[in-house]
Coordinates of all heavy atoms in Angstrom, one line a residue:
M1 N -9.8 -35.5 35.6 CA -9.3 -34.2 35.3 C -8.6 -33.6 36.5 O -7.6 -32.9 36.4 CB -10.4 -33.2 34.8 CG -10.7 -33.5 33.3 SD -11.8 -32.3 32.7 CE -13.2 -32.3 33.8
T2 N -9.3 -33.7 37.7 CA -8.7 -33.1 38.9 C -7.4 -33.7 39.2 O -6.4 -33.0 39.6 CB -9.7 -33.1 40.1 OG1 -10.2 -34.4 40.1 CG2 -10.8 -32.1 39.9
S3 N -7.2 -35.0 39.1 CA -5.9 -35.6 39.4 C -4.9 -35.3 38.3 O -3.7 -35.1 38.6 CB -6.0 -37.1 39.6 OG -6.4 -37.8 38.5
A4 N -5.4 -35.2 37.0 CA -4.4 -34.8 36.0 C -3.9 -33.4 36.2 O -2.7 -33.1 35.9 CB -5.2 -34.8 34.6
N5 N -4.7 -32.5 36.7 CA -4.2 -31.1 37.0 C -3.3 -31.1 38.2 O -2.7 -30.0 38.4 CB -5.5 -30.2 37.2 CG -6.1 -29.9 35.9 OD1 -5.6 -30.0 34.9 ND2 -7.4 -29.5 36.0
R6 N -3.1 -32.2 38.9 CA -2.2 -32.2 40.0 C -1.1 -33.2 39.8 O -0.5 -33.7 40.8 CB -2.9 -32.5 41.4 CG -3.7 -31.3 41.8 CD -4.6 -31.6 43.0 NE -5.5 -30.6 43.3 CZ -5.3 -29.7 44.4 NH1 -4.3 -29.9 45.2 NH2 -6.2 -28.8 44.6
D7 N -0.9 -33.6 38.6 CA 0.1 -34.6 38.2 C 1.5 -34.1 38.4 O 2.0 -33.1 37.7 CB -0.1 -35.0 36.7 CG 0.9 -36.1 36.3 OD1 1.8 -36.4 37.1 OD2 0.8 -36.6 35.2
P8 N 2.3 -34.6 39.4 CA 3.6 -34.1 39.7 C 4.6 -34.2 38.5 O 5.6 -33.5 38.5 CB 4.1 -34.9 40.9 CG 3.2 -36.1 41.0 CD 1.9 -35.8 40.2
E9 N 4.3 -35.1 37.6 CA 5.2 -35.2 36.4 C 5.0 -34.1 35.4 O 5.8 -33.8 34.6 CB 5.0 -36.6 35.8 CG 5.6 -37.7 36.6 CD 5.5 -39.0 35.9 OE1 5.3 -39.1 34.7 OE2 5.6 -40.0 36.6
M10 N 3.8 -33.5 35.6 CA 3.4 -32.4 34.6 C 3.6 -31.0 35.3 O 4.0 -30.1 34.6 CB 1.9 -32.6 34.3 CG 1.5 -31.9 33.1 SD 2.3 -32.6 31.6 CE 1.9 -31.4 30.5
F11 N 3.3 -31.0 36.6 CA 3.3 -29.7 37.3 C 4.2 -29.8 38.6 O 3.9 -30.5 39.5 CB 1.9 -29.3 37.8 CG 0.9 -29.3 36.7 CD1 0.0 -30.4 36.5 CD2 0.8 -28.2 35.8 CE1 -0.9 -30.4 35.5 CE2 -0.1 -28.2 34.8 CZ -1.0 -29.3 34.6
P12 N 5.4 -29.1 38.5 CA 6.2 -29.0 39.7 C 5.4 -28.5 40.9 O 4.7 -27.5 40.7 CB 7.4 -28.1 39.4 CG 7.2 -27.9 37.9 CD 5.9 -28.2 37.5
D13 N 5.5 -29.1 42.1 CA 4.8 -28.6 43.3 C 3.3 -28.4 43.0 O 2.7 -27.4 43.2 CB 5.5 -27.2 43.6 CG 5.3 -26.9 45.1 OD1 4.8 -27.7 45.8 OD2 5.6 -25.7 45.5
P14 N 2.7 -29.5 42.6 CA 1.3 -29.4 42.0 C 0.2 -29.0 43.0 O -0.8 -28.5 42.6 CB 1.0 -30.9 41.6 CG 1.9 -31.7 42.4 CD 3.1 -30.9 42.6
D15 N 0.4 -29.1 44.3 CA -0.6 -28.7 45.3 C -0.5 -27.3 45.7 O -1.3 -26.8 46.6 CB -0.6 -29.7 46.5 CG -1.0 -31.1 46.1 OD1 -1.8 -31.2 45.1 OD2 -0.5 -32.1 46.7
T16 N 0.5 -26.6 45.2 CA 0.6 -25.2 45.5 C -0.1 -24.3 44.5 O 0.1 -24.4 43.3 CB 2.1 -24.8 45.5 OG1 2.8 -25.6 46.5 CG2 2.3 -23.3 45.9
F17 N -0.9 -23.4 45.0 CA -1.6 -22.4 44.1 C -0.6 -21.4 43.7 O 0.0 -20.7 44.5 CB -2.8 -21.7 44.9 CG -3.4 -20.6 44.1 CD1 -4.1 -20.9 42.9 CD2 -3.2 -19.3 44.4 CE1 -4.7 -19.9 42.2 CE2 -3.8 -18.3 43.7 CZ -4.6 -18.6 42.5
N18 N -0.3 -21.4 42.4 CA 0.7 -20.5 41.8 C 0.1 -19.8 40.6 O 0.0 -20.4 39.5 CB 1.9 -21.3 41.4 CG 3.0 -20.5 40.7 OD1 2.8 -19.3 40.6 ND2 4.1 -21.1 40.3
I19 N -0.3 -18.6 40.8 CA -1.0 -17.8 39.8 C -0.1 -17.6 38.6 O -0.6 -17.3 37.5 CB -1.6 -16.5 40.4 CG1 -2.7 -16.0 39.5 CG2 -0.5 -15.5 40.6 CD1 -3.6 -14.9 40.1
N20 N 1.2 -17.6 38.8 CA 2.2 -17.4 37.7 C 2.7 -18.6 37.1 O 3.7 -18.6 36.3 CB 3.4 -16.5 38.3 CG 2.9 -15.2 38.7 OD1 2.2 -14.5 38.1 ND2 3.4 -14.8 39.9
R21 N 2.1 -19.8 37.3 CA 2.6 -21.0 36.8 C 2.7 -21.0 35.3 O 1.7 -20.6 34.6 CB 1.7 -22.2 37.2 CG 2.3 -23.6 37.0 CD 1.2 -24.6 37.5 NE 1.0 -24.7 38.9 CZ 1.8 -25.3 39.7 NH1 2.9 -25.9 39.3 NH2 1.6 -25.3 41.0
Y22 N 3.9 -21.3 34.7 CA 4.1 -21.3 33.3 C 5.2 -22.2 32.9 O 6.2 -22.2 33.5 CB 4.5 -19.8 32.8 CG 4.6 -19.8 31.3 CD1 3.5 -19.6 30.5 CD2 5.9 -19.9 30.7 CE1 3.6 -19.5 29.1 CE2 6.0 -19.9 29.3 CZ 4.9 -19.7 28.5 OH 5.0 -19.7 27.2
P23 N 5.0 -23.1 31.9 CA 3.7 -23.3 31.2 C 2.7 -24.0 32.2 O 3.1 -24.6 33.2 CB 4.1 -24.3 30.1 CG 5.3 -25.0 30.6 CD 6.0 -24.1 31.5
N24 N 1.4 -23.8 31.8 CA 0.3 -24.4 32.7 C -0.6 -25.1 31.8 O -1.7 -24.7 31.4 CB -0.3 -23.2 33.4 CG -1.4 -23.7 34.4 OD1 -1.5 -24.9 34.6 ND2 -2.1 -22.8 35.0
L25 N -0.2 -26.4 31.5 CA -1.0 -27.2 30.5 C -2.1 -28.0 31.2 O -2.1 -29.2 31.1 CB 0.0 -28.1 29.7 CG 1.0 -27.3 28.9 CD1 2.0 -28.3 28.3 CD2 0.4 -26.5 27.8
H26 N -3.0 -27.3 32.0 CA -4.0 -28.0 32.7 C -5.2 -28.4 31.8 O -5.2 -28.0 30.6 CB -4.6 -27.0 33.8 CG -5.3 -25.8 33.2 ND1 -6.6 -25.9 32.8 CD2 -4.8 -24.6 33.1 CE1 -6.9 -24.7 32.3 NE2 -5.9 -23.9 32.5
V27 N -6.0 -29.3 32.3 CA -7.2 -29.7 31.5 C -8.5 -29.4 32.1 O -9.5 -30.1 32.0 CB -7.1 -31.2 31.2 CG1 -6.0 -31.6 30.2 CG2 -6.9 -32.0 32.5
A28 N -8.5 -28.2 32.9 CA -9.8 -27.8 33.5 C -10.9 -27.6 32.6 O -12.1 -27.7 32.9 CB -9.5 -26.5 34.4
F29 N -10.6 -27.2 31.3 CA -11.6 -27.0 30.3 C -11.7 -28.2 29.3 O -12.2 -28.1 28.2 CB -11.4 -25.7 29.5 CG -11.6 -24.5 30.3 CD1 -10.5 -23.7 30.7 CD2 -12.9 -24.1 30.7 CE1 -10.7 -22.5 31.4 CE2 -13.1 -23.0 31.5 CZ -12.0 -22.2 31.8
G30 N -11.2 -29.4 29.8 CA -11.2 -30.5 28.9 C -10.1 -30.5 27.9 O -9.2 -29.7 28.0
A31 N -10.3 -31.3 26.8 CA -9.3 -31.3 25.8 C -9.9 -31.9 24.5 O -10.9 -32.6 24.6 CB -8.0 -32.1 26.3
G32 N -9.2 -31.7 23.4 CA -9.6 -32.3 22.2 C -11.0 -31.8 21.7 O -11.4 -30.7 21.9
I33 N -11.7 -32.7 21.0 CA -12.9 -32.3 20.3 C -14.0 -31.7 21.2 O -14.8 -30.9 20.8 CB -13.4 -33.5 19.4 CG1 -14.4 -33.0 18.4 CG2 -14.0 -34.6 20.3 CD1 -14.8 -34.0 17.3
H34 N -14.0 -32.2 22.5 CA -15.0 -31.7 23.4 C -14.5 -30.6 24.3 O -15.1 -30.3 25.3 CB -15.6 -32.8 24.2 CG -16.5 -33.7 23.4 ND1 -17.7 -33.3 22.8 CD2 -16.3 -35.0 22.9 CE1 -18.2 -34.3 22.1 NE2 -17.3 -35.3 22.1
H35 N -13.4 -29.9 23.9 CA -12.9 -28.8 24.8 C -14.0 -27.8 25.0 O -14.8 -27.5 24.1 CB -11.7 -28.2 24.0 CG -11.0 -27.1 24.8 ND1 -11.4 -25.8 24.7 CD2 -10.1 -27.1 25.8 CE1 -10.7 -25.0 25.6 NE2 -9.9 -25.9 26.3
C36 N -14.1 -27.3 26.2 CA -15.1 -26.4 26.6 C -15.4 -25.2 25.6 O -14.5 -24.4 25.3 CB -14.8 -25.8 28.0 SG -16.0 -24.6 28.5
L37 N -16.6 -25.1 25.1 CA -17.0 -24.1 24.2 C -17.0 -22.7 24.9 O -16.9 -21.7 24.2 CB -18.3 -24.3 23.5 CG -18.4 -25.4 22.5 CD1 -19.8 -25.6 22.0 CD2 -17.5 -25.0 21.3
G38 N -17.2 -22.7 26.2 CA -17.3 -21.4 26.9 C -16.1 -21.0 27.6 O -16.1 -20.1 28.4
A39 N -14.9 -21.6 27.3 CA -13.7 -21.4 28.0 C -13.3 -19.9 27.9 O -12.9 -19.3 28.9 CB -12.6 -22.2 27.5
T40 N -13.4 -19.3 26.8 CA -13.0 -17.8 26.6 C -13.9 -17.0 27.5 O -13.5 -16.1 28.2 CB -13.1 -17.4 25.2 OG1 -12.2 -18.3 24.4 CG2 -12.5 -16.0 25.0
L41 N -15.3 -17.2 27.4 CA -16.2 -16.5 28.2 C -15.9 -16.7 29.7 O -15.9 -15.7 30.5 CB -17.6 -16.9 27.9 CG -18.8 -16.3 28.7 CD1 -18.8 -14.8 28.6 CD2 -20.1 -16.9 28.4
A42 N -15.7 -17.9 30.1 CA -15.4 -18.3 31.5 C -14.2 -17.5 32.0 O -14.2 -17.0 33.1 CB -15.3 -19.7 31.7
R43 N -13.1 -17.5 31.2 CA -11.9 -16.7 31.6 C -12.2 -15.2 31.8 O -11.7 -14.6 32.7 CB -10.8 -17.0 30.5 CG -10.2 -18.4 30.6 CD -8.9 -18.4 29.8 NE -8.2 -19.6 30.1 CZ -8.1 -20.7 29.4 NH1 -8.8 -20.8 28.2 NH2 -7.4 -21.8 29.8
L44 N -13.0 -14.7 30.8 CA -13.3 -13.3 30.9 C -14.1 -13.0 32.1 O -13.8 -12.0 32.8 CB -14.1 -12.9 29.6 CG -14.3 -11.4 29.4 CD1 -13.0 -10.7 29.1 CD2 -15.3 -11.3 28.2
E45 N -15.1 -13.8 32.4 CA -15.9 -13.6 33.6 C -15.1 -13.7 34.9 O -15.2 -12.9 35.8 CB -17.0 -14.7 33.6 CG -18.1 -14.4 32.6 CD -19.2 -15.5 32.6 OE1 -18.9 -16.7 33.1 OE2 -20.3 -15.3 32.2
G46 N -14.1 -14.7 34.9 CA -13.3 -14.8 36.0 C -12.4 -13.6 36.2 O -12.3 -13.1 37.3
Q47 N -11.9 -13.0 35.1 CA -11.0 -11.8 35.2 C -11.8 -10.7 35.8 O -11.4 -9.9 36.7 CB -10.5 -11.4 33.9 CG -9.3 -12.2 33.4 CD -9.0 -12.0 31.9 OE1 -9.3 -10.9 31.4 NE2 -8.4 -12.9 31.3
E48 N -13.1 -10.5 35.3 CA -13.9 -9.4 35.8 C -14.3 -9.6 37.2 O -14.3 -8.6 38.0 CB -15.1 -9.2 34.9 CG -14.8 -8.7 33.5 CD -14.0 -7.4 33.5 OE1 -14.4 -6.4 34.2 OE2 -13.0 -7.3 32.8
A49 N -14.7 -10.8 37.6 CA -15.2 -11.1 38.9 C -14.1 -10.8 40.0 O -14.3 -10.1 40.9 CB -15.7 -12.5 39.0
F50 N -12.9 -11.4 39.7 CA -11.8 -11.2 40.7 C -11.3 -9.8 40.7 O -10.9 -9.3 41.8 CB -10.7 -12.2 40.4 CG -11.1 -13.6 40.8 CD1 -11.3 -14.6 39.8 CD2 -11.4 -14.0 42.1 CE1 -11.7 -15.9 40.2 CE2 -11.8 -15.2 42.5 CZ -12.0 -16.2 41.5
K51 N -11.3 -9.1 39.6 CA -10.9 -7.7 39.6 C -11.9 -6.9 40.4 O -11.5 -6.0 41.2 CB -10.9 -7.2 38.1 CG -10.4 -5.8 37.9 CD -10.2 -5.6 36.4 CE -10.0 -4.1 36.0 NZ -11.3 -3.4 35.9
S52 N -13.2 -7.0 40.2 CA -14.2 -6.3 40.9 C -14.1 -6.6 42.4 O -14.2 -5.7 43.2 CB -15.6 -6.6 40.5 OG -15.8 -6.3 39.1
L53 N -13.9 -7.9 42.7 CA -13.8 -8.2 44.1 C -12.7 -7.5 44.8 O -12.8 -7.0 45.9 CB -13.7 -9.8 44.2 CG -14.0 -10.5 45.5 CD1 -15.4 -10.2 45.9 CD2 -13.7 -12.0 45.4
A54 N -11.5 -7.5 44.1 CA -10.3 -6.9 44.7 C -10.5 -5.4 44.8 O -10.1 -4.7 45.8 CB -9.1 -7.2 43.8
E55 N -11.2 -4.8 43.9 CA -11.4 -3.3 43.9 C -12.5 -2.9 45.0 O -12.3 -1.9 45.7 CB -12.0 -2.8 42.5 CG -10.8 -2.7 41.5 CD -11.4 -2.5 40.1 OE1 -12.6 -2.4 39.9 OE2 -10.5 -2.4 39.2
R56 N -13.5 -3.7 45.1 CA -14.6 -3.4 46.0 C -14.3 -3.8 47.5 O -14.8 -3.1 48.4 CB -15.9 -4.0 45.6 CG -16.4 -3.4 44.3 CD -17.6 -4.1 43.7 NE -18.8 -3.8 44.6 CZ -20.0 -4.2 44.3 NH1 -20.2 -4.9 43.2 NH2 -21.0 -4.0 45.1
L57 N -13.5 -4.8 47.6 CA -13.2 -5.3 49.0 C -11.7 -5.4 49.1 O -11.2 -6.5 49.2 CB -13.9 -6.7 49.2 CG -15.4 -6.7 49.1 CD1 -15.9 -8.1 49.2 CD2 -16.1 -5.8 50.1
P58 N -11.0 -4.3 49.2 CA -9.5 -4.4 49.2 C -9.0 -5.0 50.5 O -7.8 -5.5 50.5 CB -9.1 -2.9 49.1 CG -10.3 -2.1 49.5 CD -11.5 -2.9 49.2
N59 N -9.8 -5.1 51.5 CA -9.3 -5.8 52.8 C -9.7 -7.2 52.9 O -9.7 -7.8 54.0 CB -9.8 -5.0 54.0 CG -9.2 -3.6 54.0 OD1 -8.1 -3.4 53.6 ND2 -10.0 -2.6 54.5
L60 N -10.2 -7.8 51.8 CA -10.7 -9.2 51.8 C -9.6 -10.1 52.3 O -8.5 -10.1 51.8 CB -11.2 -9.6 50.4 CG -11.9 -10.9 50.3 CD1 -13.3 -10.9 51.0 CD2 -12.1 -11.2 48.8
R61 N -9.9 -10.9 53.3 CA -8.9 -11.9 53.8 C -9.6 -13.1 54.3 O -10.8 -13.1 54.7 CB -8.0 -11.3 54.9 CG -8.8 -10.8 56.1 CD -7.9 -10.0 57.0 NE -8.7 -9.5 58.1 CZ -9.5 -8.4 58.1 NH1 -9.6 -7.7 57.0 NH2 -10.2 -8.1 59.1
L62 N -8.8 -14.2 54.3 CA -9.3 -15.5 54.8 C -9.4 -15.5 56.3 O -8.5 -15.0 57.0 CB -8.4 -16.7 54.4 CG -8.5 -17.2 53.0 CD1 -7.4 -18.2 52.8 CD2 -9.8 -17.8 52.7
E63 N -10.5 -16.1 56.8 CA -10.6 -16.3 58.3 C -9.9 -17.6 58.6 O -10.0 -18.5 57.8 CB -12.1 -16.3 58.7 CG -12.7 -15.0 58.7 CD -12.2 -14.0 59.7 OE1 -12.1 -14.4 60.9 OE2 -11.7 -12.9 59.3
P64 N -9.3 -17.7 59.8 CA -8.8 -19.0 60.2 C -9.9 -20.0 60.2 O -11.0 -19.7 60.8 CB -8.2 -18.8 61.6 CG -8.2 -17.3 61.8 CD -9.1 -16.7 60.8
Q65 N -9.7 -21.2 59.7 CA -10.8 -22.2 59.6 C -10.3 -23.5 59.2 O -9.2 -23.7 58.6 CB -11.9 -21.7 58.6 CG -11.3 -21.6 57.2 CD -12.2 -20.8 56.3 OE1 -13.3 -21.2 55.9 NE2 -11.7 -19.6 55.9
E66 N -11.1 -24.6 59.5 CA -10.9 -25.9 59.0 C -11.6 -26.0 57.7 O -12.8 -25.8 57.6 CB -11.4 -27.0 60.0 CG -10.6 -27.1 61.2 CD -9.3 -27.7 61.1 OE1 -9.2 -28.7 60.3 OE2 -8.3 -27.2 61.7
L67 N -11.0 -26.4 56.6 CA -11.7 -26.5 55.3 C -12.3 -27.8 55.1 O -11.8 -28.9 55.4 CB -10.7 -26.3 54.1 CG -10.0 -24.9 54.1 CD1 -9.0 -24.9 52.9 CD2 -11.1 -23.8 54.0
E68 N -13.6 -27.8 54.7 CA -14.3 -29.1 54.5 C -14.7 -29.2 53.0 O -15.3 -28.2 52.4 CB -15.6 -29.1 55.3 CG -15.6 -30.1 56.4 CD -17.0 -30.2 57.0 OE1 -17.4 -29.3 57.8 OE2 -17.6 -31.2 56.7
H69 N -14.5 -30.3 52.4 CA -14.9 -30.5 51.0 C -16.2 -31.1 50.8 O -16.6 -32.0 51.6 CB -13.8 -31.2 50.2 CG -12.5 -30.5 50.1 ND1 -11.5 -30.5 51.0 CD2 -12.1 -29.6 49.1 CE1 -10.5 -29.7 50.6 NE2 -10.8 -29.1 49.5
V70 N -16.9 -30.8 49.7 CA -18.1 -31.5 49.3 C -17.7 -32.9 48.8 O -16.8 -33.0 48.0 CB -18.8 -30.7 48.1 CG1 -20.1 -31.5 47.7 CG2 -19.1 -29.3 48.5
P71 N -18.3 -34.0 49.3 CA -17.9 -35.3 48.9 C -18.3 -35.5 47.4 O -19.4 -35.2 47.0 CB -18.8 -36.3 49.7 CG -19.5 -35.4 50.7 CD -19.4 -34.0 50.3
S72 N -17.3 -35.8 46.6 CA -17.6 -35.9 45.1 C -16.4 -36.7 44.5 O -15.2 -36.4 44.9 CB -17.7 -34.5 44.5 OG -17.6 -34.6 43.1
I73 N -16.6 -37.5 43.5 CA -15.5 -38.2 42.8 C -15.1 -37.4 41.5 O -14.2 -37.8 40.9 CB -15.8 -39.7 42.5 CG1 -17.0 -39.8 41.6 CG2 -15.9 -40.5 43.7 CD1 -17.1 -41.1 40.9
T74 N -15.9 -36.4 41.2 CA -15.6 -35.6 40.0 C -14.9 -34.3 40.3 O -13.8 -34.2 40.0 CB -16.9 -35.4 39.2 OG1 -17.9 -34.8 40.0 CG2 -17.4 -36.7 38.5
F75 N -15.6 -33.4 40.9 CA -15.0 -32.1 41.1 C -14.8 -31.8 42.6 O -15.6 -32.2 43.4 CB -15.9 -30.9 40.5 CG -15.9 -31.0 39.0 CD1 -16.9 -31.4 38.3 CD2 -14.7 -30.5 38.3 CE1 -16.9 -31.5 36.9 CE2 -14.7 -30.5 37.0 CZ -15.7 -31.0 36.2
R76 N -13.7 -31.1 42.9 CA -13.4 -30.8 44.3 C -13.9 -29.4 44.6 O -13.5 -28.5 43.9 CB -11.8 -30.9 44.3 CG -11.2 -31.0 45.7 CD -9.7 -31.3 45.4 NE -8.9 -30.7 46.5 CZ -8.7 -31.3 47.6 NH1 -9.2 -32.5 47.9 NH2 -7.9 -30.7 48.5
S77 N -14.7 -29.3 45.6 CA -15.2 -28.0 45.9 C -15.3 -27.9 47.5 O -15.5 -28.9 48.1 CB -16.5 -27.6 45.2 OG -17.4 -28.6 45.6
L78 N -15.3 -26.6 48.0 CA -15.4 -26.4 49.4 C -16.9 -26.3 49.8 O -17.7 -25.7 49.0 CB -14.7 -25.1 49.8 CG -13.2 -25.1 49.6 CD1 -12.6 -23.7 49.9 CD2 -12.5 -26.1 50.6
K79 N -17.2 -26.8 51.0 CA -18.6 -26.6 51.5 C -18.8 -25.1 51.9 O -19.8 -24.5 51.7 CB -18.8 -27.4 52.8 CG -19.0 -28.9 52.5 CD -19.4 -29.6 53.7 CE -19.7 -31.0 53.4 NZ -19.9 -31.9 54.6
A80 N -17.7 -24.4 52.3 CA -17.8 -23.0 52.7 C -16.4 -22.4 52.8 O -15.4 -23.2 53.0 CB -18.5 -22.9 54.1
L81 N -16.3 -21.1 52.6 CA -15.0 -20.4 52.7 C -15.3 -19.1 53.5 O -16.0 -18.2 52.9 CB -14.4 -20.2 51.4 CG -13.0 -19.6 51.4 CD1 -12.0 -20.6 52.0 CD2 -12.5 -19.2 50.0
Q82 N -14.8 -19.1 54.7 CA -15.1 -17.9 55.5 C -14.1 -16.8 55.3 O -12.9 -17.1 55.4 CB -15.2 -18.3 57.0 CG -16.4 -19.2 57.3 CD -16.4 -19.7 58.7 OE1 -15.6 -19.3 59.5 NE2 -17.3 -20.7 58.9
V83 N -14.6 -15.6 55.0 CA -13.7 -14.5 54.7 C -14.3 -13.3 55.5 O -15.4 -13.3 56.0 CB -13.7 -14.1 53.2 CG1 -13.1 -15.2 52.4 CG2 -15.1 -13.7 52.7
S84 N -13.5 -12.3 55.6 CA -13.9 -11.0 56.2 C -13.3 -9.8 55.4 O -12.3 -10.0 54.7 CB -13.6 -10.9 57.7 OG -12.2 -11.0 57.8
W85 N -13.9 -8.6 55.6 CA -13.3 -7.5 54.8 C -13.4 -6.2 55.6 O -13.4 -5.1 55.0 CB -14.0 -7.4 53.4 CG -15.5 -7.3 53.5 CD1 -16.3 -6.2 53.7 CD2 -16.4 -8.3 53.3 NE1 -17.6 -6.5 53.7 CE2 -17.7 -7.8 53.4 CE3 -16.3 -9.7 53.0 CZ2 -18.9 -8.6 53.3 CZ3 -17.4 -10.5 52.9 CH2 -18.7 -9.9 53.1
N86 N -13.5 -6.3 56.9 CA -13.6 -5.0 57.7 C -12.2 -4.7 58.3 O -11.4 -5.5 58.4 CB -14.6 -5.1 58.8 CG -16.0 -5.1 58.3 OD1 -16.3 -4.4 57.3 ND2 -16.8 -5.9 58.8
Ligands
HEM101 C1 -15.0 -22.1 34.9 C2 -16.0 -22.4 34.1 C3 -16.0 -23.7 33.2 C4 -15.4 -24.8 33.3 C5 -14.3 -25.2 34.4 C6 -15.8 -25.7 32.2 C7 -15.3 -27.0 32.0 C8 -15.7 -27.7 30.9 C9 -15.1 -29.1 30.6 C10 -14.1 -29.8 31.5 C11 -15.7 -29.5 29.5 C12 -15.4 -30.8 28.7 C13 -16.4 -31.9 29.2 C14 -16.1 -33.2 28.5 O1 -14.9 -33.5 28.1 O2 -17.0 -34.1 28.5 C15 -16.6 -28.5 29.0 C16 -17.4 -28.6 27.9 C17 -18.4 -27.6 27.6 N1 -18.5 -26.4 28.1 FE1 -17.6 -25.7 29.8 N2 -16.7 -25.0 31.5 C18 -16.9 -23.8 32.0 C19 -17.7 -22.8 31.6 C20 -18.5 -22.8 30.5 C21 -19.4 -21.8 30.0 C22 -19.5 -20.4 30.6 C23 -20.0 -22.2 28.9 C24 -21.0 -21.6 28.0 C25 -21.4 -20.3 28.0 C26 -19.6 -23.6 28.7 C27 -20.0 -24.4 27.7 C28 -19.5 -25.7 27.4 C29 -20.0 -26.6 26.3 C30 -21.1 -26.2 25.4 C31 -19.3 -27.8 26.4 C32 -19.4 -29.0 25.5 C33 -18.4 -29.0 24.4 C34 -18.5 -30.3 23.6 O3 -18.9 -31.3 24.1 O4 -18.1 -30.2 22.4 N3 -18.7 -23.9 29.6 N4 -16.6 -27.4 29.9

């Protein structure tokens, strides 16, 4: 799924985070008969979480850092993400 979501034939400039990407036919919630049952809840939670974060920490910014990923053949995730908000 992670490589499908970065398929250059499907997504122009696939490694760029583009919140306005449209159409965005990703498969992060799977597809077909086993499509994620919690996708609507997960989207709602994401909207509320990022909205609250932006409201409560308006100065939130990334610290300069080397990013390290958790070794995994399934999902790609960061070991840590350093931020500051002062
Ligand atoms: C960002 C959050 C989430 C992501 C990225 C995600 C992703 C996925 C993916 C990729 C699948 C398909 C797995 C497969 O094809 O074998 C799946 C299935 C499923 N998800 Fe999620 N999920 C999320 C949140 C949730 C939440 C919040 C719930 C429940 C409250 C949930 C419940 C389920 C269930 C029950 C299935 C199995 C559906 C089936 O096999 O018919 N998920 N999810």
Side-chain angles (χ1 to χ4, degrees):
M1 283 189 301
T2 43
S3 65
N5 284 340
R6 287 171 188 255
D7 180 352
E9 290 185 16
M10 200 65 193
F11 305 100
D13 204 5
D15 293 331
T16 299
F17 174 69
N18 176 2
I19 201 168
N20 296 316
R21 194 181 288 280
Y22 182 84
N24 187 3
L25 300 172
H26 66 79
V27 289
F29 290 110
I33 194 167
H34 290 291
H35 184 265
C36 178
L37 284 177
T40 304
L41 175 62
R43 286 192 165 104
L44 190 66
E45 287 177 339
Q47 282 170 23
E48 290 305 312
F50 288 113
K51 184 169 166 277
S52 299
L53 199 59
E55 283 169 0
R56 293 176 67 176
L57 303 173
N59 296 325
L60 188 67
R61 60 191 177 276
L62 282 175
E63 287 294 305
Q65 63 200 289
E66 290 289 321
L67 298 177
E68 249 192 283
H69 290 92
V70 177
S72 164
I73 58 163
T74 52
F75 289 104
R76 199 169 145 85
S77 58
L78 293 174
K79 282 188 178 170
L81 185 65
Q82 292 171 11
V83 297
S84 59
W85 56 83
N86 289 320

